[in-house]
Amino acid sequence: MISTEKTADSSAVFSVYLSRGEEMLADTLDAGKVYERAVSRGFLYATVSSGDGGTFTPGKGIVIPHGSECPPVFLWSRPVKAVGEIVSRSAVLSKSHCRVRMRLVPGGGAVSFVIRGDISGFDLDGNPVEGPFECVPHHSTDGFLEFILPRQKDNSLMMDVYSGGVRMRTFALGEILSRAGYSWKDKDLKDISMEVSCSANVLVSDFSVWENEQNREILL
């Protein structure tokens, strides 16, 4: 039996995965409700998620396809030893993704970006999994470039800057975020915004990173 938290969105629906090796049972559950399912005795993993976009893989967990951004996933995952008549767990989901909004000043011309990292998903315990990650920021309706990152283990994120298909420069994005005070250890990861200034020769000259307008730090 898995009890779930209530959410601000009363219509929210969670995905529930019960996995044992390569075997998996998949169900849906309304937020704030209780999930019950008869299973054979033994060890299994229980995962409750929202926004995983169908990326859950039996025996592995959340797997981000190479070349794709992280799905906007909220996640709870625990091992369960089913030995009694009833096993109860309380699932409190964590925001395991960070949405980054990036504005170019001035418009940036023909500059494009590729984000690279070493976390490619989450295991059956809900922990970040090491593996190649790469995504290209996409344009939002309000003029920002956006991309979504999974929870990180360290500051190894990199950002390549391209112009005319040629890589012009690479920035240690993870270090930049760390210097701005960003923490990957928060239970619910914060979203952030970045302002990127481009010089006339299309090289990025400085960053401004902030979580909100009241907490803003300029990084050179």
Side-chain angles (χ1 to χ4, degrees), residues 2 36-37 39 55 80 87 93 99 104-105 107 138 143 187:
I2 302 175
E36 294 186 58
R37 180 83 181 242
V39 297
T55 56
V80 175
V87 178
L93 280 65
R99 186 181 300 274
L104 305 186
V105 181
H138 55 86
K187 177 182 179 295

Side-chain angles (χ1 to χ4, degrees), residues 23 50 56 162 164 180-181 199-200:
E23 299 178 358
S50 172
F56 187 89
Y162 287 82
S199 61

Side-chain angles (χ1 to χ4, degrees), residues 7-205:
T7 69
D9 181 2
S10 60
S11 63
V13 177
F14 295 154
S15 295
V16 180
Y17 306 100
L18 303 178
S19 58
R20 179 179 286 138
E22 297 300 319
E23 299 178 358
M24 181 181 74
L25 295 173
D27 279 315
T28 58
L29 175 65
D30 293 335
K33 302 296 184 180
V34 175
Y35 175 81
E36 294 186 58
R37 180 83 181 242
V39 297
S40 57
R41 294 176 183 272
F43 184 86
L44 56 84
Y45 282 93
T47 298
V48 181
S49 69
S50 172
D52 64 79
T55 56
F56 187 89
T57 302
K60 294 183 178 180
I62 303 292
V63 178
I64 304 171
H66 190 258
S68 299
E69 65 182 355
C70 179
V73 63
F74 292 76
L75 184 64
W76 175 90
S77 190
R78 297 290 188 279
V80 175
K81 192 174 182 180
V83 294
E85 292 298 320
I86 299 177
V87 178
S88 298
R89 295 289 186 273
S90 178
V92 180
L93 280 65
S94 298
K95 183 175 178 290
S96 298
H97 69 278
C98 166
R99 186 181 300 274
V100 180
R101 287 162 48 81
M102 185 166 62
R103 180 170 56 199
L104 305 186
V105 181
V111 176
S112 60
F113 301 85
V114 174
I115 311 302
R116 295 183 286 112
D118 297 324
I119 300 299
S120 61
F122 303 90
D123 64 18
L124 293 172
D125 284 314
N127 299 314
V129 171
E130 293 184 7
F133 171 88
E134 184 176 295
C135 73
V136 176
H138 55 86
H139 289 275
S140 64
T141 56
D142 57 359
F144 279 76
L145 289 172
E146 288 191 358
F147 55 96
I148 302 178
L149 298 171
R151 186 182 298 275
Q152 301 290 302
K153 288 183 176 181
D154 55 27
N155 299 328
S156 59
L157 282 167
M158 307 297 288
M159 183 171 73
D160 297 325
V161 185
Y162 287 82
S163 178
V166 178
R167 185 169 64 182
M168 305 296 293
R169 196 170 178 184
T170 296
F171 285 89
L173 179 59
E175 294 293 340
I176 291 170
L177 297 180
S178 176
R179 287 165 52 195
Y182 191 83
S183 173
W184 296 105
K185 296 182 179 180
D186 290 350
K187 177 182 179 295
D188 294 308
L189 293 180
K190 298 180 178 67
D191 294 332
I192 61 176
S193 295
M194 300 196 306
E195 189 171 279
V196 181
S197 297
C198 299
S199 61
N201 61 357
V202 305
L203 296 182
V204 175
S205 57

